[in-house]
Amino acid sequence: MASAREPLLAAHGVVKRFGHVQALSGADFTAHAGEVVALIGDNGAGKSTLVNVLSGVLTPDEGEVRLDGVPIRFTGPMDAQRHGVETVYQDLSLAPDLDAAANLYLGRELVRGGFLGRLGVLDRPTMRREAVAAFGELGVELKDVTAPVTTLSGGQRQSVAVARAVAFANKVIFMDEPTAALGVVQRARVLETVRRVADRGICVVLISHNMPEVLSVADRVEVLRLGRRVASFTAADTTIEELVGAMTGSLDEPAHNGNHAPVGTTEAEDGR
Amino acid sequence: MSANSQDIKPTAKAPDAPESDGGRFAVPPWLRRAAGVSELWTFVILVALVAFFTIAAPGKFFTTYDITQIAVNASIYLVLGVGMTFVIITAGIDLSIGSVLVLAAVSAGEYNVHHGGPTAGWGTVVVCVVIALAVGTGWGALQGAVVATGKVPPLIVTLGGLGAALGIAELATGGQDPAGAAATHLQNSLGFGKLLGIPWMVILAAVVTALFGAVLGATRFGSHTLAIGSNPTAVRRAGIPVGRHLIKVYGLMGLLAGLGAVMWLASYGTTSIAGHSTDNLKVITAVVLGGTSLFGGRGSVLGTVIGVFIPAVLTTGLIVIGVQQYWQDVAVGVVLVVAVYIDQMRRKTRERA
Ligand SMILES: Nc1ncnc2c1ncn2[C@@H]1O[C@H](COP(=O)(O)OP(=O)(O)OP(=O)(O)O)[C@@H](O)[C@H]1O
Ligand SMILES: [Mg+2]
């Protein structure tokens, strides 16, 4: 990874309070185009809150978020989506009674040309065709894109949610525990998909509690503890023990942005 | 007409339901779907009923007179049912429709009384129609706005609306149906008129049904309606303004209740203030019989058409074969409970996946 490269997405000193609970207390985050960044941390470390801040769901109380080096403050998830930032929610956020194509295009439906289009008449053939193409690109085979997603298997549903994000994201995709509910085979497929998406130059930020999974798919790992980033590793150069140590704080000294933090990712601008 | 792949649902026992991507039975998709279309079953019931009455009372039931009469009687419920289909698909309910119909009829009727009464001209008729539609739409949209806040469940909002709308109508009229509420012009045209032997009431109901069937099945509006009933959180995250959509849906219900008021005035010439207290139950029954899920997310206008005709055919049929028509209420009640039971089971099986 080129060290001089401007991060695609960066957060500095983000603070977020819920009443008297401080979920984030000066958290930093860095992610580059084309990489898979795993965001790990113990329960309550602030991972979901950080992702919500970065994806426009929450506004930070303090701190700065930069996209492509430009300070930005999303007014909501839609605003983030307009900037090419998509989220795959943990609950997938699909409409179970609608088919895969309709879910893929939910809120961004394609309409017919001309007068019918102005009446809001949907262009289902095109949406279905594009949906098949989108799933094909992810290596997902859906027998029937016209079947309601509720009839699909867990993995297929997951693919629909991922395909939805992939189809519209051109910068960043956040995935909150995308494999938590999946079996071995489907988990492997989703991880494959994650890799493929990153190879297209999109940054994928993955929250996960599964350390072997993190090491196998991520390029880098950022560790949150008590609302702060406490370490940043290159996945290839680290071990599960090290990750767990950083998460729990037992290896505080060495892991704390110390010798394991790779040069390319922990730049001077991180400040500590 | 309104049928669309969107409306096609798999059965609970769709062979591929919860298992992994791999093994599936070789049941052709069209067969799986056909068996899963809930309208299909209600349609079978409807056909069976018609066949039964035709055989039980040869030459008496299946006459053009009966068919026309059934269709005319059903046309107002059909118009109301179309609106209710949209409302129920959003996982909502509207108990107020009978009262809104009365309020719209009274508003139009009072105007008519003071602008010519029975002999009022076409200008007055047009104004009356506009008043009825506007009152209905306004009332519906208002209820929708309260529902959209998410603070009061639709059941309560529209239960309140039921009482309030009827109360206002009674205040305005002193509780008496005003004499001369409908112009003869209106009654002779929409009320009793025919085009090529088909009553205008039926044509109007058919046009409304086809139009909104297409809206539900083929447009963005329809798709969002289904999505909201299916998973409102997902819809909100997708940037669709859920509240505004709900206002439109309840406004549409109100508009169609206003149209129902016009049709009522045209056919019966009076506002029938006391005669609409069970409209809501009849219409909700029809919609649910037609396969629309009370839990939202699924339903079709075509199903509602069938659901409206089942009670209508039953009533006429029982009269023709000389059975007390009150059996109709018993039969519909039982079928309704069974229909919801099946829907409930289906949903359970689905969610397990
Ligand atoms: N909406 C909220 N209101 C109040 N407190 C909140 C809210 N969201 C998060 N918190 C608190 O902020 C802290 C961080 O929560 P967060 O959900 O970000 O943790 P997490 O790292 O995602 O944990 P997990 O691994 O369990 O998902 C927790 O103490 C949590 O209770
Ligand atoms: Mg979390």
Side-chain angles (χ1 to χ4, degrees):
Chain A
M1 240 159 270
S3 60
R5 214 158 42 132
E6 177 86 28
L8 176 61
L9 183 68
H12 298 286
V14 174
V15 174
K16 182 70 196 178
R17 295 181 203 91
F18 297 105
H20 58 271
V21 180
Q22 187 146 339
L24 295 176
S25 34
D28 300 324
F29 183 78
T30 321
H32 296 84
E35 71 175 358
V36 179
V37 183
L39 183 58
I40 66 169
D42 220 343
N43 294 114
K47 304 181 295 295
S48 298
T49 309
L50 180 59
V51 165
N52 284 342
V53 166
L54 295 175
S55 62
V57 176
L58 295 173
T59 37
D61 297 326
E62 284 169 40
E64 186 188 58
V65 177
R66 285 170 179 259
L67 185 65
D68 273 333
V70 185
I72 194 158
R73 184 156 279 216
F74 297 128
T75 56
M78 283 316 287
D79 190 29
Q81 286 173 21
R82 274 190 291 276
H83 285 86
V85 177
E86 294 277 334
T87 308
V88 180
Y89 293 90
Q90 186 159 9
D91 62 4
L92 301 186
S93 216
L94 299 173
D97 300 290
L98 303 193
D99 64 29
N103 268 289
L104 193 68
Y105 283 97
L106 186 60
R108 293 180 265 221
E109 291 84 357
L110 304 180
V111 292
R112 300 260 186 92
F115 179 66
L116 286 179
R118 241 169 303 140
L119 292 180
V121 176
L122 299 172
D123 186 355
R124 278 198 215 278
T126 307
M127 286 199 281
R128 290 195 172 137
R129 221 172 29 244
E130 302 270 306
V132 170
F135 295 128
E137 237 175 284
L138 297 181
V140 179
E141 207 189 303
L142 282 188
K143 286 250 161 66
D144 182 6
V145 284
T146 65
V149 298
T150 184
T151 63
L152 304 180
S153 71
Q156 290 173 323
R157 259 179 285 182
Q158 181 81 50
S159 313
V160 174
V162 172
R164 185 178 149 74
V166 172
F168 297 101
N170 50 33
K171 294 215 170 89
V172 186
I173 299 180
F174 292 102
M175 298 192 189
D176 199 340
E177 306 200 25
T179 58
L182 300 184
V184 179
V185 176
Q186 288 170 345
R187 173 184 298 239
R189 272 207 203 155
V190 168
L191 295 181
E192 239 171 69
T193 304
V194 165
R195 199 59 259 175
R196 218 169 317 170
V197 171
D199 291 343
R200 287 199 217 161
I202 294 170
C203 169
V204 182
V205 180
L206 191 73
I207 295 186
S208 177
H209 284 287
N210 182 326
M211 294 305 130
E213 170 181 308
V214 162
L215 288 184
S216 72
V217 72
D219 297 306
R220 283 193 317 104
V221 185
E222 302 235 320
V223 186
L224 276 189
R225 182 153 54 85
L226 303 174
R228 279 167 200 263
R229 177 169 71 188
V230 293
S232 170
F233 298 100
T234 300
D237 305 339
T238 191
T239 61
I240 292 182
E241 288 69 35
E242 246 177 344
L243 294 181
V244 173
M247 275 168 62
T248 57
S250 61
L251 294 179
D252 227 358
E253 278 324 299
H256 190 92
N257 242 8
N259 45 0
H260 294 289
V263 195
T265 52
T266 309
E267 284 141 347
E269 58 180 4
D270 278 357
R272 48 200 306 277
Chain B
M1 158 179 57
S2 61
N4 172 288
S5 55
Q6 192 78 281
D7 303 321
I8 288 168
K9 301 126 208 136
T11 43
K13 291 193 258 339
D16 60 333
E19 55 190 48
S20 66
D21 313 43
R24 284 190 179 187
F25 294 91
V27 178
W30 66 265
L31 186 66
R32 250 192 303 134
R33 289 217 213 113
V37 183
S38 43
E39 295 100 51
L40 190 77
W41 298 114
T42 23
F43 187 68
V44 168
I45 294 176
L46 182 62
V47 170
L49 283 174
V50 171
F52 172 75
F53 288 124
T54 311
I55 295 165
K60 268 162 102 192
F61 179 73
F62 209 62
T63 62
T64 36
Y65 170 76
D66 279 330
I67 294 203
T68 313
Q69 205 46 44
I70 289 174
V72 170
N73 289 343
S75 56
I76 293 176
Y77 289 126
L78 189 53
V79 166
L80 296 175
V82 168
M84 190 66 82
T85 306
F86 278 78
V87 170
I88 293 184
I89 284 177
T90 67
I93 196 90
D94 190 343
L95 297 181
S96 71
I97 51 169
S99 298
V100 177
L101 190 155
V102 167
L103 182 62
V106 162
S107 310
E110 285 291 336
Y111 182 87
N112 195 67
V113 169
H114 295 103
H115 292 81
T119 56
W122 280 110
T124 304
V125 171
V126 170
V127 174
C128 284
V129 170
V130 171
I131 288 175
L133 299 183
V135 166
T137 310
W139 192 274
L142 185 68
Q143 293 184 150
V146 180
V147 170
T149 65
K151 300 282 191 280
V152 190
L155 187 81
I156 300 302
V157 173
T158 58
L159 186 60
L162 177 151
L166 189 61
I168 294 173
E170 284 169 334
L171 283 172
T173 56
Q176 302 296 316
D177 293 311
T184 319
H185 279 324
L186 179 65
Q187 290 209 266
N188 286 341
S189 53
L190 178 60
F192 311 127
K194 290 183 180 182
L195 179 71
L196 306 173
I198 305 170
W200 277 111
M201 291 278 284
V202 175
I203 294 173
L204 180 59
V207 168
V208 166
T209 306
L211 179 66
F212 287 101
V215 167
L216 182 60
T219 70
R220 187 178 348 204
F221 185 85
S223 189
H224 288 181
T225 305
L226 288 153
I228 285 173
S230 199
N231 184 354
T233 311
V235 175
R236 218 168 274 123
R237 283 176 186 156
I240 299 164
V242 172
R244 217 187 305 158
H245 195 89
L246 287 175
I247 294 174
K248 286 184 200 161
V249 167
Y250 283 85
L252 170 65
M253 177 74 258
L255 171 71
L256 294 178
L259 184 61
V262 173
M263 293 168 80
W264 186 273
L265 285 172
S267 336
Y268 301 99
T270 173
T271 50
S272 308
I273 293 171
H276 292 276
S277 55
T278 59
D279 284 7
N280 50 9
L281 300 183
K282 285 186 185 144
V283 170
I284 292 167
T285 303
V287 171
V288 173
L289 278 181
T292 296
S293 171
L294 276 173
F295 308 98
R298 289 185 299 129
S300 74
V301 169
L302 180 62
T304 297
V305 174
I306 300 167
V308 164
F309 276 100
I310 287 178
V313 165
L314 263 176
T315 310
T316 316
L318 292 175
I319 293 171
V320 168
I321 64 170
V323 175
Q324 283 221 29
Q325 58 159 316
Y326 304 115
W327 280 109
Q328 178 253 341
D329 297 328
V330 178
V332 169
V334 171
V335 174
L336 177 69
V337 172
V338 171
V340 173
Y341 180 82
I342 292 172
D343 181 39
Q344 179 78 278
M345 292 318 287
R346 225 189 243 180
R347 196 153 280 250
K348 281 250 173 63
T349 324
R350 239 181 46 165
E351 275 164 4
R352 192 204 49 189

